[in-house]
Structure formats: C-alpha cells, structure tokens
Amino acid sequence: MPRVLALPAWFEIGSLVVLTLILVGDLLLVLKRPHVPSFKESTLWVAFYVALALVFAGLMFVLGDAEHGGQFLAGWLTEYSLSIDNLFVFVIIMARFSVPRKLQQEVLMVGIIIALVLRGIFILLGASLIENFSWIFYLFGAWLVWTAIQQVRGDHEDEDSETFIVRMLRKRVSITDEYDGVKLRTTVDGRRYFTPMIIVFVAIGTTDLLFALDSIPAIFGITQSPFIVFTANVFALMGLRQLYFLLGGLLERLEYLKYGIAFILAFIGVKLVLHAMHENELPFINGGEHIEWAPEISTWMSLIVIVAAMAVATVASLVKARLDAKRRGHTLMEEVPHFTEDTPGKHDQ
C-alpha cells in the first residue's frame, strides 16, 4: 500500500480554495440560468473538467513525484467510474419521479453537493479508522469484494423500487402531484404542502449515501492521503451534471459498465486484503506477525487495471449496442437520439 504522501501546504490549501470557487460558480450558474445544456455546451464543460483534472495531476507530478500523480490519477479514474454508475441511478430517479427536464440541472447539482458532503464525512472517518486500526483494511477489502459480487448479480432496474425512507415519507407527509420549480414547499388552496421534489432529494440523498459507502473504501485502497482522496472525489463529481446531459440515452446502452466497475471494486478489494495481510497485527492471524509473502500491488499496476477494465467494458458495451441496433435495421444514434435535443412540446411538461 502506498505511503501517506505530503504536498506543500500552500498547494493543498490553494487547491481546496480554487475547487470551492469553481463549485460555487457552477452552482450560481445553474441557479441564475436554469436550462437544458446543448450537446456542444455539455461536451465543452466535460472536456474542461477532464482537462482540469489532468492539469491537477500534472501539478502533483511536479510538486510531488510520480507516486503523487499516479495515486491521484488512479483514484480519480476509480471515483469517476463509480460516479458514472451513480449517474445511471440518477437517470432512473429522474424518470421514476417524472422530473421536468428544465429542473434536472438543479436536481443534479443538489445531488452532487450531497455526494460531496457525504464523501467528505466518510473520508474523515476513514482516515481516522486507518490511522488507529490497521486491520480495518480487512473489512474494507471484504466489503468491496462483496459489493463487486452484488454489482454483477444485481440489475440497475432494481433501483427503481422506492427505498424504505421514501415509502415512509409518502405515508406521513402531504405531497402534491405537481412540481413548483425546485421548491420543497408550495401552497394549494391556502394550504401548505410538500412538492414531489422532497421525495426526489431524499431518493438522491440515500443513493449518494450508498455510493459513498463503496467509493471511499475503494479509493483508500489506492492512497491513504486524505487530500488526494478528497480532491479525486471532487474532480470525479465536477462536470457530472454536464456528463448526464452529454451521454443522455446512450448511458442506458453501456450494458457491460457494471462488470467493469465490479472488476475494479474486486481488484481493489483483493489489494486491500493483501495489504492487510502484509501489515497484519491481528493475533489470530499468523500469530499477529506480518505475512511477508503477501504481495503489495503498486499504484501504477492499479492504474493500468482500472483503465483497462473501464476501456474494455465501454468498448464492449458500444459494440453490442451497435450490433443490436443494426439487427433492428437502425444505427445506434438513430435509436438513441441525443437527450438534449430540443423537440417542441416534448419532455417539457
């Protein structure tokens, strides 16, 4: 397992300030100009955020070393892949609760903010646990392997069913049938009601919580630096709103994505268990002694595996989607018109 790395304090503080300003600016943009981004706009924003992450990685190489840069890249790609999976569930939630297109930017931004807050909390908890209990890597590793198995066995459609919290909310709270912008409360015939937006936010919040439980152990399997862990999560979530509109209906055709993500989670889970064995201090395992034969998987090996898994899953999904469309006598893009194409009267109700 890579050692905890230190970067110049001015760089860490400056990075957090700049990232905060970018996120606040993105939030203000959504609030002041709510709209459905065009394909070109979405593409430019996603490219900007990816380029920003790569520039940040370059600065890590310069101000730190190859290990710093490698850990950030591996962590960012891992979190990005998990964020895309999270995005797929956001698509299901939007459809499940019939969120109007013109409100989806605001909803996505709220979801991203909730995700950042939850991941920040879990990062602090995870760093504290790792510092005080080295054996926690056994639990992290086992959790990720179990999650990988569930990812392969499960199906995204299962996410369509309402959570216990949402069901309880429906029973105990008076909710209107219509949205009132992004407001949580509205007045109908002189009475105050909650809008369906409260259910959407609760559904997204509980989803973010579940994904945070997977993503934080996964990235701690790559680096133990809280700064790298947090910035990798921020960069993975930045631009996620625009990516949602960029991918649109194509996201549903990434059929093998879940297998790529499951492979990454299983790989990092095994890596964590091997690290725990190498650093073992549990008295009932090997007499409390380190297990020297347990190999340590390098950061660069992790990076290669992560990139390869996502590339194979994505390419295989697109090939299958194109073949399926061809068998039906169409091209893939004919069957999946872009999500942000504006058709008068369509999706705007």
Side-chain angles (χ1 to χ4, degrees):
M1 176 67 56
R3 65 190 183 283
V4 177
L5 302 171
L7 289 159
W10 64 264
F11 175 71
E12 294 191 356
I13 295 171
S15 298
L16 295 177
V17 170
V18 171
L19 290 175
T20 300
L21 290 175
I22 292 174
L23 288 170
V24 170
D26 200 14
L27 176 61
L28 291 176
L29 185 65
V30 170
L31 294 176
K32 291 192 173 219
R33 188 170 168 260
H35 67 292
V36 178
S38 66
F39 180 82
K40 181 179 179 181
E41 181 185 346
S42 299
T43 301
L44 290 174
W45 274 109
V46 171
F48 168 73
Y49 283 123
V50 169
L52 200 63
L54 295 176
V55 168
F56 186 80
L59 290 174
M60 301 276 276
F61 275 97
V62 173
L63 298 173
D65 54 24
E67 188 66 21
H68 283 85
Q71 288 187 17
F72 173 78
L73 283 174
W76 171 58
L77 288 172
T78 298
E79 294 303 309
Y80 205 74
S81 63
L82 290 170
S83 294
I84 293 175
D85 201 33
N86 196 345
L87 196 61
F88 189 98
V89 181
F90 282 176
V91 171
I92 293 173
I93 291 173
M94 297 285 193
R96 173 68 180 81
F97 298 108
S98 303
V99 178
R101 290 181 70 199
K102 61 185 178 181
L103 302 180
Q104 290 177 4
Q105 279 218 81
E106 292 94 328
V107 173
L108 286 167
M109 201 67 204
V110 169
I112 290 169
I113 291 172
I114 294 173
L116 278 172
V117 171
L118 290 174
R119 294 187 190 197
I121 293 171
F122 279 116
I123 287 167
L124 293 175
L125 291 174
S128 177
L129 287 171
I130 289 169
E131 184 177 352
N132 294 287
F133 308 104
S134 62
W135 51 264
I136 198 70
F137 284 114
Y138 280 117
L139 296 183
F140 280 0
W143 172 259
L144 290 180
V145 171
W146 182 83
T147 302
I149 294 172
Q150 294 299 110
Q151 177 86 0
V152 172
R153 293 176 56 191
D155 189 273
H156 282 300
E157 298 305 321
D158 295 337
E159 307 287 351
D160 191 56
S161 59
E162 294 185 354
T163 64
F164 172 76
I165 297 175
V166 170
R167 290 197 300 271
M168 289 296 294
L169 192 62
R170 281 190 182 278
K171 290 179 180 178
R172 298 178 181 275
V173 176
S174 298
I175 300 174
T176 64
D177 294 326
E178 302 294 329
Y179 288 91
D180 185 7
V182 292
K183 294 179 182 178
L184 299 181
R185 299 271 284 174
T186 190
T187 301
V188 179
D189 297 329
R191 292 185 59 188
R192 296 289 287 169
Y193 293 90
F194 282 98
T195 70
M197 193 61 72
I198 185 69
I199 298 180
V200 174
F201 285 161
V202 168
I204 284 179
T206 52
T207 297
D208 282 336
L209 176 62
L210 294 175
F211 275 94
L213 288 172
D214 297 336
S215 67
I216 298 309
I219 195 170
F220 270 117
I222 293 168
T223 177
Q224 293 181 38
S225 166
F227 174 73
I228 296 178
V229 170
F230 184 72
T231 52
N233 270 277
V234 172
F235 275 105
L237 291 170
M238 285 166 61
L240 198 62
R241 173 173 59 85
Q242 292 87 352
L243 187 65
Y244 171 86
F245 291 100
L246 175 63
L247 293 178
L250 186 61
L251 189 63
E252 299 177 7
R253 302 301 179 98
L254 299 179
E255 186 175 334
Y256 299 130
L257 179 65
K258 67 177 183 179
Y259 298 110
I261 294 173
F263 184 84
I264 292 171
L265 291 175
F267 170 79
I268 297 176
V270 170
K271 178 182 178 181
L272 283 171
V273 172
L274 290 174
H275 172 71
M277 293 169 63
H278 192 77
E279 302 292 327
N280 178 63
E281 295 176 353
L282 293 178
F284 53 86
I285 298 178
N286 199 41
E289 299 295 325
H290 304 330
I291 303 175
E292 298 299 333
W293 60 262
E296 289 276 16
I297 301 174
S298 71
T299 298
W300 291 100
M301 177 59 71
S302 300
L303 182 58
I304 292 170
V305 169
I306 292 165
V307 171
M310 289 310 298
V312 170
T314 302
V315 171
S317 296
L318 292 176
V319 169
K320 184 177 187 300
R322 286 181 176 178
L323 291 175
D324 289 344
K326 186 177 180 180
R327 278 196 293 269
R328 290 186 288 267
H330 304 104
T331 66
L332 178 59
M333 295 316 295
E334 286 174 344
E335 289 198 348
V336 188
H338 195 271
F339 192 78
T340 61
E341 286 179 353
D342 294 320
T343 303
K346 184 180 180 181
H347 303 305
D348 289 319
Q349 60 272 23

Short mmCIF file of all heavy atoms in Angstrom, two decimals, residues 127-179:
data_model
loop_
_atom_site.label_atom_id
_atom_site.label_comp_id
_atom_site.label_asym_id
_atom_site.label_seq_id
_atom_site.Cartn_x
_atom_site.Cartn_y
_atom_site.Cartn_z
N ALA A 127 -10.06 8.02 7.26
CA ALA A 127 -8.68 8.37 7.61
C ALA A 127 -8.41 8.10 9.08
O ALA A 127 -7.34 7.60 9.46
CB ALA A 127 -8.41 9.83 7.27
N SER A 128 -9.39 8.42 9.93
CA SER A 128 -9.23 8.19 11.37
C SER A 128 -9.16 6.69 11.69
O SER A 128 -8.33 6.25 12.49
CB SER A 128 -10.40 8.83 12.12
OG SER A 128 -10.33 8.57 13.51
N LEU A 129 -10.03 5.91 11.04
CA LEU A 129 -10.02 4.46 11.27
C LEU A 129 -8.70 3.83 10.83
O LEU A 129 -8.12 2.98 11.52
CB LEU A 129 -11.18 3.81 10.51
CG LEU A 129 -12.59 4.05 11.08
CD1 LEU A 129 -13.64 3.54 10.12
CD2 LEU A 129 -12.73 3.38 12.44
N ILE A 130 -8.21 4.26 9.64
CA ILE A 130 -6.96 3.70 9.11
C ILE A 130 -5.79 4.03 10.02
O ILE A 130 -4.91 3.19 10.26
CB ILE A 130 -6.71 4.24 7.69
CG1 ILE A 130 -7.72 3.60 6.72
CG2 ILE A 130 -5.29 3.94 7.22
CD1 ILE A 130 -7.73 4.25 5.36
N GLU A 131 -5.79 5.25 10.56
CA GLU A 131 -4.68 5.67 11.43
C GLU A 131 -4.64 4.89 12.73
O GLU A 131 -3.58 4.61 13.26
CB GLU A 131 -4.83 7.17 11.73
CG GLU A 131 -3.66 7.74 12.53
CD GLU A 131 -3.80 9.23 12.75
OE1 GLU A 131 -4.71 9.85 12.16
OE2 GLU A 131 -2.98 9.78 13.51
N ASN A 132 -5.82 4.51 13.23
CA ASN A 132 -5.89 3.85 14.53
C ASN A 132 -6.06 2.34 14.46
O ASN A 132 -5.71 1.64 15.43
CB ASN A 132 -7.05 4.45 15.35
CG ASN A 132 -6.83 5.90 15.71
OD1 ASN A 132 -6.02 6.22 16.56
ND2 ASN A 132 -7.55 6.80 15.04
N PHE A 133 -6.58 1.83 13.35
CA PHE A 133 -6.84 0.39 13.25
C PHE A 133 -6.38 -0.11 11.89
O PHE A 133 -7.13 -0.04 10.91
CB PHE A 133 -8.34 0.09 13.44
CG PHE A 133 -8.94 0.70 14.67
CD1 PHE A 133 -9.73 1.84 14.58
CD2 PHE A 133 -8.70 0.16 15.92
CE1 PHE A 133 -10.29 2.42 15.70
CE2 PHE A 133 -9.26 0.73 17.07
CZ PHE A 133 -10.05 1.86 16.96
N SER A 134 -5.19 -0.65 11.82
CA SER A 134 -4.66 -1.13 10.54
C SER A 134 -5.49 -2.30 9.99
O SER A 134 -5.56 -2.50 8.78
CB SER A 134 -3.19 -1.55 10.69
OG SER A 134 -3.08 -2.61 11.61
N TRP A 135 -6.14 -3.05 10.89
CA TRP A 135 -6.91 -4.22 10.47
C TRP A 135 -8.19 -3.82 9.72
O TRP A 135 -8.86 -4.67 9.13
CB TRP A 135 -7.30 -5.09 11.66
CG TRP A 135 -7.95 -4.34 12.79
CD1 TRP A 135 -7.34 -3.86 13.92
CD2 TRP A 135 -9.33 -3.97 12.91
NE1 TRP A 135 -8.25 -3.22 14.72
CE2 TRP A 135 -9.48 -3.28 14.13
CE3 TRP A 135 -10.45 -4.17 12.10
CZ2 TRP A 135 -10.70 -2.77 14.56
CZ3 TRP A 135 -11.67 -3.66 12.51
CH2 TRP A 135 -11.78 -2.97 13.74
N ILE A 136 -8.51 -2.50 9.71
CA ILE A 136 -9.72 -2.06 9.01
C ILE A 136 -9.65 -2.39 7.53
O ILE A 136 -10.68 -2.52 6.85
CB ILE A 136 -9.95 -0.55 9.22
CG1 ILE A 136 -11.40 -0.15 8.91
CG2 ILE A 136 -8.99 0.28 8.35
CD1 ILE A 136 -12.41 -0.66 9.88
N PHE A 137 -8.42 -2.57 6.99
CA PHE A 137 -8.27 -2.90 5.58
C PHE A 137 -8.87 -4.27 5.27
O PHE A 137 -9.30 -4.51 4.14
CB PHE A 137 -6.80 -2.85 5.16
CG PHE A 137 -6.27 -1.46 4.99
CD1 PHE A 137 -5.29 -0.96 5.83
CD2 PHE A 137 -6.76 -0.63 3.99
CE1 PHE A 137 -4.80 0.32 5.68
CE2 PHE A 137 -6.28 0.66 3.83
CZ PHE A 137 -5.30 1.14 4.68
N TYR A 138 -8.87 -5.19 6.24
CA TYR A 138 -9.55 -6.47 6.02
C TYR A 138 -11.04 -6.23 5.75
O TYR A 138 -11.62 -6.82 4.84
CB TYR A 138 -9.40 -7.36 7.27
CG TYR A 138 -8.08 -8.06 7.40
CD1 TYR A 138 -7.23 -7.80 8.48
CD2 TYR A 138 -7.68 -9.02 6.47
CE1 TYR A 138 -6.03 -8.46 8.62
CE2 TYR A 138 -6.48 -9.69 6.61
CZ TYR A 138 -5.65 -9.41 7.68
OH TYR A 138 -4.45 -10.06 7.82
N LEU A 139 -11.66 -5.36 6.57
CA LEU A 139 -13.08 -5.07 6.42
C LEU A 139 -13.37 -4.32 5.13
O LEU A 139 -14.32 -4.64 4.41
CB LEU A 139 -13.59 -4.26 7.62
CG LEU A 139 -13.53 -4.94 8.99
CD1 LEU A 139 -14.12 -4.03 10.06
CD2 LEU A 139 -14.27 -6.27 8.96
N PHE A 140 -12.52 -3.32 4.84
CA PHE A 140 -12.70 -2.57 3.59
C PHE A 140 -12.61 -3.50 2.38
O PHE A 140 -13.40 -3.42 1.44
CB PHE A 140 -11.63 -1.48 3.47
CG PHE A 140 -11.91 -0.23 4.27
CD1 PHE A 140 -13.06 -0.11 5.03
CD2 PHE A 140 -11.02 0.83 4.26
CE1 PHE A 140 -13.33 1.03 5.76
CE2 PHE A 140 -11.27 1.99 4.98
CZ PHE A 140 -12.42 2.09 5.73
N GLY A 141 -11.61 -4.37 2.40
CA GLY A 141 -11.41 -5.29 1.28
C GLY A 141 -12.58 -6.24 1.12
O GLY A 141 -13.07 -6.46 0.00
N ALA A 142 -13.03 -6.82 2.23
CA ALA A 142 -14.15 -7.76 2.17
C ALA A 142 -15.42 -7.05 1.68
O ALA A 142 -16.19 -7.59 0.88
CB ALA A 142 -14.40 -8.37 3.55
N TRP A 143 -15.62 -5.81 2.14
CA TRP A 143 -16.80 -5.03 1.71
C TRP A 143 -16.79 -4.79 0.21
O TRP A 143 -17.81 -4.94 -0.46
CB TRP A 143 -16.85 -3.71 2.46
CG TRP A 143 -17.88 -2.77 1.97
CD1 TRP A 143 -17.70 -1.68 1.15
CD2 TRP A 143 -19.30 -2.82 2.23
NE1 TRP A 143 -18.90 -1.06 0.89
CE2 TRP A 143 -19.89 -1.73 1.53
CE3 TRP A 143 -20.11 -3.68 2.98
CZ2 TRP A 143 -21.27 -1.49 1.59
CZ3 TRP A 143 -21.48 -3.43 3.01
CH2 TRP A 143 -22.04 -2.35 2.33
N LEU A 144 -15.63 -4.44 -0.34
CA LEU A 144 -15.54 -4.15 -1.77
C LEU A 144 -15.75 -5.41 -2.61
O LEU A 144 -16.40 -5.36 -3.66
CB LEU A 144 -14.19 -3.52 -2.10
CG LEU A 144 -13.98 -2.09 -1.58
CD1 LEU A 144 -12.60 -1.59 -1.99
CD2 LEU A 144 -15.06 -1.15 -2.10
N VAL A 145 -15.22 -6.53 -2.15
CA VAL A 145 -15.41 -7.79 -2.89
C VAL A 145 -16.90 -8.16 -2.87
O VAL A 145 -17.46 -8.56 -3.89
CB VAL A 145 -14.56 -8.92 -2.28
CG1 VAL A 145 -14.94 -10.26 -2.90
CG2 VAL A 145 -13.07 -8.65 -2.50
N TRP A 146 -17.54 -8.01 -1.71
CA TRP A 146 -18.97 -8.31 -1.60
C TRP A 146 -19.77 -7.36 -2.50
O TRP A 146 -20.71 -7.79 -3.19
CB TRP A 146 -19.43 -8.16 -0.15
CG TRP A 146 -20.89 -8.49 0.04
CD1 TRP A 146 -21.44 -9.72 0.19
CD2 TRP A 146 -21.98 -7.55 0.08
NE1 TRP A 146 -22.81 -9.63 0.33
CE2 TRP A 146 -23.16 -8.31 0.27
CE3 TRP A 146 -22.06 -6.16 -0.01
CZ2 TRP A 146 -24.41 -7.71 0.37
CZ3 TRP A 146 -23.31 -5.57 0.08
CH2 TRP A 146 -24.47 -6.34 0.27
N THR A 147 -19.40 -6.08 -2.50
CA THR A 147 -20.08 -5.10 -3.35
C THR A 147 -19.93 -5.45 -4.82
O THR A 147 -20.87 -5.31 -5.61
CB THR A 147 -19.52 -3.68 -3.09
OG1 THR A 147 -19.68 -3.34 -1.71
CG2 THR A 147 -20.24 -2.65 -3.95
N ALA A 148 -18.73 -5.91 -5.20
CA ALA A 148 -18.48 -6.30 -6.60
C ALA A 148 -19.39 -7.46 -7.00
O ALA A 148 -19.95 -7.47 -8.10
CB ALA A 148 -17.01 -6.69 -6.77
N ILE A 149 -19.54 -8.43 -6.11
CA ILE A 149 -20.41 -9.57 -6.38
C ILE A 149 -21.86 -9.11 -6.55
O ILE A 149 -22.56 -9.54 -7.48
CB ILE A 149 -20.30 -10.62 -5.25
CG1 ILE A 149 -18.90 -11.22 -5.23
CG2 ILE A 149 -21.35 -11.72 -5.43
CD1 ILE A 149 -18.63 -12.12 -4.04
N GLN A 150 -22.30 -8.20 -5.67
CA GLN A 150 -23.67 -7.67 -5.76
C GLN A 150 -23.86 -6.87 -7.04
O GLN A 150 -24.93 -6.90 -7.65
CB GLN A 150 -23.97 -6.79 -4.55
CG GLN A 150 -24.02 -7.54 -3.23
CD GLN A 150 -25.10 -8.61 -3.24
OE1 GLN A 150 -24.81 -9.80 -3.25
NE2 GLN A 150 -26.35 -8.20 -3.24
N GLN A 151 -22.80 -6.17 -7.46
CA GLN A 151 -22.87 -5.37 -8.69
C GLN A 151 -23.11 -6.28 -9.90
O GLN A 151 -23.89 -5.94 -10.80
CB GLN A 151 -21.56 -4.61 -8.87
CG GLN A 151 -21.44 -3.79 -10.13
CD GLN A 151 -22.04 -2.40 -10.00
OE1 GLN A 151 -22.55 -2.05 -8.95
NE2 GLN A 151 -21.99 -1.64 -11.07
N VAL A 152 -22.46 -7.43 -9.93
CA VAL A 152 -22.61 -8.36 -11.04
C VAL A 152 -23.97 -9.06 -10.99
O VAL A 152 -24.64 -9.22 -12.00
CB VAL A 152 -21.47 -9.41 -11.03
CG1 VAL A 152 -21.73 -10.50 -12.06
CG2 VAL A 152 -20.13 -8.74 -11.31
N ARG A 153 -24.38 -9.44 -9.80
CA ARG A 153 -25.63 -10.18 -9.65
C ARG A 153 -26.86 -9.30 -9.79
O ARG A 153 -27.90 -9.75 -10.27
CB ARG A 153 -25.69 -10.85 -8.28
CG ARG A 153 -24.67 -11.96 -8.08
CD ARG A 153 -24.74 -12.51 -6.68
NE ARG A 153 -26.08 -12.96 -6.34
CZ ARG A 153 -26.47 -13.29 -5.11
NH1 ARG A 153 -25.62 -13.21 -4.11
NH2 ARG A 153 -27.69 -13.69 -4.88
N GLY A 154 -26.73 -8.03 -9.37
CA GLY A 154 -27.87 -7.13 -9.36
C GLY A 154 -28.15 -6.56 -10.73
O GLY A 154 -27.49 -6.84 -11.72
N ASP A 155 -29.18 -5.70 -10.76
CA ASP A 155 -29.55 -5.04 -12.01
C ASP A 155 -30.01 -3.64 -11.66
O ASP A 155 -30.67 -3.43 -10.65
CB ASP A 155 -30.70 -5.79 -12.68
CG ASP A 155 -30.96 -5.24 -14.08
OD1 ASP A 155 -31.73 -4.27 -14.20
OD2 ASP A 155 -30.38 -5.79 -15.02
N HIS A 156 -29.65 -2.68 -12.49
CA HIS A 156 -29.99 -1.30 -12.21
C HIS A 156 -31.49 -1.09 -12.08
O HIS A 156 -31.93 -0.18 -11.40
CB HIS A 156 -29.46 -0.39 -13.33
CG HIS A 156 -28.00 -0.12 -13.23
ND1 HIS A 156 -27.45 0.50 -12.13
CD2 HIS A 156 -26.96 -0.36 -14.09
CE1 HIS A 156 -26.14 0.66 -12.31
NE2 HIS A 156 -25.83 0.12 -13.50
N GLU A 157 -32.23 -1.94 -12.74
CA GLU A 157 -33.68 -1.74 -12.67
C GLU A 157 -34.18 -1.91 -11.24
O GLU A 157 -35.23 -1.40 -10.88
CB GLU A 157 -34.40 -2.74 -13.59
CG GLU A 157 -34.04 -2.57 -15.07
CD GLU A 157 -34.26 -1.17 -15.58
OE1 GLU A 157 -35.28 -0.55 -15.18
OE2 GLU A 157 -33.45 -0.67 -16.36
N ASP A 158 -33.43 -2.66 -10.41
CA ASP A 158 -33.84 -2.83 -9.04
C ASP A 158 -33.84 -1.51 -8.29
O ASP A 158 -34.53 -1.36 -7.27
CB ASP A 158 -32.91 -3.83 -8.32
CG ASP A 158 -33.03 -5.23 -8.91
OD1 ASP A 158 -34.07 -5.53 -9.51
OD2 ASP A 158 -32.08 -6.01 -8.75
N GLU A 159 -33.06 -0.54 -8.77
CA GLU A 159 -33.00 0.75 -8.11
C GLU A 159 -34.32 1.50 -8.28
O GLU A 159 -34.56 2.50 -7.61
CB GLU A 159 -31.85 1.60 -8.72
CG GLU A 159 -30.50 0.91 -8.73
CD GLU A 159 -29.87 0.81 -7.35
OE1 GLU A 159 -30.42 1.44 -6.41
OE2 GLU A 159 -28.87 0.11 -7.20
N ASP A 160 -35.16 1.02 -9.20
CA ASP A 160 -36.41 1.72 -9.48
C ASP A 160 -37.39 1.61 -8.32
O ASP A 160 -38.26 2.45 -8.17
CB ASP A 160 -37.02 1.15 -10.76
CG ASP A 160 -38.16 1.99 -11.27
OD1 ASP A 160 -37.95 3.18 -11.49
OD2 ASP A 160 -39.26 1.43 -11.44
N SER A 161 -37.24 0.56 -7.53
CA SER A 161 -38.13 0.40 -6.41
C SER A 161 -37.80 1.45 -5.34
O SER A 161 -36.65 1.79 -5.13
CB SER A 161 -38.00 -1.01 -5.81
OG SER A 161 -36.68 -1.24 -5.40
N GLU A 162 -38.86 1.97 -4.66
CA GLU A 162 -38.64 3.03 -3.70
C GLU A 162 -38.00 2.50 -2.43
O GLU A 162 -38.29 1.38 -1.98
CB GLU A 162 -39.97 3.71 -3.37
CG GLU A 162 -40.57 4.44 -4.56
CD GLU A 162 -41.83 5.19 -4.16
OE1 GLU A 162 -42.29 5.04 -3.02
OE2 GLU A 162 -42.36 5.91 -5.01
N THR A 163 -37.14 3.32 -1.83
CA THR A 163 -36.50 2.92 -0.58
C THR A 163 -37.50 3.01 0.56
O THR A 163 -38.56 3.63 0.46
CB THR A 163 -35.31 3.84 -0.28
OG1 THR A 163 -35.81 5.18 -0.06
CG2 THR A 163 -34.32 3.86 -1.43
N PHE A 164 -37.12 2.41 1.69
CA PHE A 164 -37.98 2.43 2.87
C PHE A 164 -38.25 3.87 3.31
O PHE A 164 -39.37 4.23 3.68
CB PHE A 164 -37.30 1.65 4.00
CG PHE A 164 -38.00 1.75 5.32
CD1 PHE A 164 -39.16 1.04 5.57
CD2 PHE A 164 -37.50 2.58 6.32
CE1 PHE A 164 -39.81 1.15 6.79
CE2 PHE A 164 -38.14 2.69 7.53
CZ PHE A 164 -39.30 1.97 7.77
N ILE A 165 -37.21 4.72 3.25
CA ILE A 165 -37.35 6.11 3.68
C ILE A 165 -38.36 6.84 2.81
O ILE A 165 -39.22 7.58 3.31
CB ILE A 165 -35.99 6.83 3.65
CG1 ILE A 165 -35.03 6.17 4.65
CG2 ILE A 165 -36.15 8.30 3.96
CD1 ILE A 165 -33.63 6.73 4.62
N VAL A 166 -38.28 6.64 1.50
CA VAL A 166 -39.21 7.31 0.58
C VAL A 166 -40.64 6.83 0.83
O VAL A 166 -41.59 7.62 0.84
CB VAL A 166 -38.80 7.07 -0.89
CG1 VAL A 166 -39.89 7.54 -1.83
CG2 VAL A 166 -37.48 7.78 -1.19
N ARG A 167 -40.81 5.53 1.05
CA ARG A 167 -42.16 5.00 1.31
C ARG A 167 -42.73 5.59 2.59
O ARG A 167 -43.91 5.95 2.65
CB ARG A 167 -42.11 3.47 1.39
CG ARG A 167 -41.85 2.77 0.06
CD ARG A 167 -42.23 1.31 0.12
NE ARG A 167 -41.47 0.59 1.14
CZ ARG A 167 -40.30 0.00 0.92
NH1 ARG A 167 -39.76 0.04 -0.28
NH2 ARG A 167 -39.69 -0.63 1.90
N MET A 168 -41.90 5.70 3.63
CA MET A 168 -42.36 6.28 4.89
C MET A 168 -42.72 7.76 4.70
O MET A 168 -43.71 8.24 5.27
CB MET A 168 -41.26 6.15 5.95
CG MET A 168 -41.04 4.73 6.44
SD MET A 168 -42.50 4.08 7.30
CE MET A 168 -42.56 5.15 8.72
N LEU A 169 -41.94 8.45 3.88
CA LEU A 169 -42.20 9.87 3.62
C LEU A 169 -43.54 10.05 2.93
O LEU A 169 -44.32 10.96 3.27
CB LEU A 169 -41.08 10.44 2.76
CG LEU A 169 -41.00 11.97 2.61
CD1 LEU A 169 -40.76 12.62 3.97
CD2 LEU A 169 -39.88 12.34 1.65
N ARG A 170 -43.83 9.18 1.98
CA ARG A 170 -45.11 9.27 1.26
C ARG A 170 -46.30 9.09 2.22
O ARG A 170 -47.34 9.73 2.07
CB ARG A 170 -45.17 8.20 0.17
CG ARG A 170 -44.40 8.55 -1.11
CD ARG A 170 -44.74 7.54 -2.18
NE ARG A 170 -44.03 7.75 -3.42
CZ ARG A 170 -44.39 8.63 -4.36
NH1 ARG A 170 -45.45 9.40 -4.16
NH2 ARG A 170 -43.69 8.76 -5.47
N LYS A 171 -46.13 8.20 3.20
CA LYS A 171 -47.24 7.90 4.11
C LYS A 171 -47.48 9.00 5.13
O LYS A 171 -48.61 9.25 5.55
CB LYS A 171 -46.94 6.58 4.86
CG LYS A 171 -47.00 5.34 3.97
CD LYS A 171 -46.68 4.10 4.79
CE LYS A 171 -46.73 2.84 3.91
NZ LYS A 171 -46.38 1.62 4.67
N ARG A 172 -46.39 9.69 5.54
CA ARG A 172 -46.50 10.62 6.66
C ARG A 172 -46.55 12.09 6.26
O ARG A 172 -46.80 12.94 7.11
CB ARG A 172 -45.33 10.40 7.62
CG ARG A 172 -45.32 9.00 8.23
CD ARG A 172 -44.13 8.79 9.14
NE ARG A 172 -44.14 7.44 9.69
CZ ARG A 172 -44.80 7.08 10.78
NH1 ARG A 172 -45.52 7.98 11.43
NH2 ARG A 172 -44.75 5.85 11.23
N VAL A 173 -46.28 12.41 5.01
CA VAL A 173 -46.20 13.80 4.59
C VAL A 173 -47.18 14.06 3.44
O VAL A 173 -47.30 13.24 2.53
CB VAL A 173 -44.75 14.16 4.13
CG1 VAL A 173 -44.70 15.59 3.61
CG2 VAL A 173 -43.77 13.99 5.30
N SER A 174 -47.87 15.19 3.51
CA SER A 174 -48.79 15.57 2.43
C SER A 174 -47.99 16.13 1.26
O SER A 174 -47.28 17.14 1.41
CB SER A 174 -49.77 16.64 2.93
OG SER A 174 -50.56 16.14 3.99
N ILE A 175 -48.11 15.48 0.12
CA ILE A 175 -47.31 15.84 -1.05
C ILE A 175 -48.22 16.08 -2.24
O ILE A 175 -49.13 15.30 -2.52
CB ILE A 175 -46.30 14.73 -1.38
CG1 ILE A 175 -45.36 14.49 -0.19
CG2 ILE A 175 -45.48 15.08 -2.63
CD1 ILE A 175 -44.42 13.31 -0.36
N THR A 176 -47.97 17.17 -2.97
CA THR A 176 -48.76 17.48 -4.16
C THR A 176 -48.34 16.58 -5.32
O THR A 176 -47.32 15.91 -5.26
CB THR A 176 -48.57 18.95 -4.58
OG1 THR A 176 -47.20 19.15 -4.95
CG2 THR A 176 -48.92 19.89 -3.44
N ASP A 177 -49.14 16.62 -6.37
CA ASP A 177 -48.81 15.84 -7.56
C ASP A 177 -47.92 16.63 -8.53
O ASP A 177 -47.27 16.05 -9.39
CB ASP A 177 -50.08 15.42 -8.30
CG ASP A 177 -50.91 14.45 -7.48
OD1 ASP A 177 -50.31 13.65 -6.74
OD2 ASP A 177 -52.15 14.51 -7.57
N GLU A 178 -47.92 17.96 -8.40
CA GLU A 178 -47.20 18.81 -9.33
C GLU A 178 -45.96 19.43 -8.69
O GLU A 178 -45.94 19.71 -7.49
CB GLU A 178 -48.12 19.94 -9.84
CG GLU A 178 -49.38 19.44 -10.52
CD GLU A 178 -49.09 18.71 -11.81
OE1 GLU A 178 -48.09 19.06 -12.47
OE2 GLU A 178 -49.86 17.78 -12.16
N TYR A 179 -44.93 19.66 -9.53
CA TYR A 179 -43.73 20.36 -9.08
C TYR A 179 -43.98 21.87 -9.10
O TYR A 179 -44.81 22.36 -9.86
CB TYR A 179 -42.54 20.05 -10.01
CG TYR A 179 -42.00 18.65 -9.86
CD1 TYR A 179 -42.49 17.61 -10.66
CD2 TYR A 179 -41.00 18.37 -8.94
CE1 TYR A 179 -42.00 16.32 -10.53
CE2 TYR A 179 -40.51 17.09 -8.80
CZ TYR A 179 -41.00 16.07 -9.59
OH TYR A 179 -40.51 14.80 -9.46
#
